[in-house]
Amino acid sequence: MSKIEQFHSSYYAVPEKTKQDAFILKFVVAIPPQKIRLNRKKGHRTRAMTFKYHVFDHSVCQNAFLRILNITKHRVAGVFQHFKSNVSVYTWTED
């Protein structure tokens, strides 16, 4: 079994959404953008967070990460939005 298949199967091995969310939090790092650009028409920031994606110890692009897990970028953003308000809910333990 390749590492990519192992990564994919370890995500779907646990059917609970909160455990899958914890898996996403373990392999995605949210950092503030280096340069804040204001949208002149609307008067607010265009991006609140930048995400870095990892498959085990390797950094990968967003598209590769999302395709490996078969999820959308909105799922990742939603996990981080929910995580900001409910920090204690998420824990990931490898069995």
Side-chain angles (χ1 to χ4, degrees), residues 26-68:
K26 180 178 179 182
F27 291 103
V28 178
V29 178
I31 55 174
Q34 291 180 347
K35 187 173 185 178
I36 297 173
R37 295 177 185 92
L38 295 177
N39 186 339
R40 294 179 188 235
K41 292 180 182 176
K42 296 181 183 176
H44 65 276
R45 294 191 303 184
T46 56
R47 183 177 301 179
M49 283 291 171
T50 301
F51 298 107
K52 291 201 177 228
Y53 302 89
H54 301 279
V55 174
F56 294 118
D57 294 334
H58 301 287
S59 215
V60 295
C61 68
Q62 176 190 28
N63 202 16
F65 184 84
L66 298 177
R67 285 185 177 192
I68 290 169

Side-chain angles (χ1 to χ4, degrees), residues 78-94:
V79 167
F80 276 91
Q81 278 295 105
H82 195 269
F83 176 71
K84 280 194 324 189
S85 60
N86 300 326
V87 176
S88 64
V89 173
Y90 299 100
T91 55
W92 172 258
T93 56
E94 293 189 35

Side-chain angles (χ1 to χ4, degrees), residues 11-29:
Y11 176 74
Y12 285 104
V14 181
E16 301 169 29
K17 183 182 181 306
T18 55
K19 297 281 186 179
Q20 289 178 345
D21 292 350
F23 185 90
I24 291 171
L25 289 170
K26 180 178 179 182
F27 291 103
V28 178
V29 178

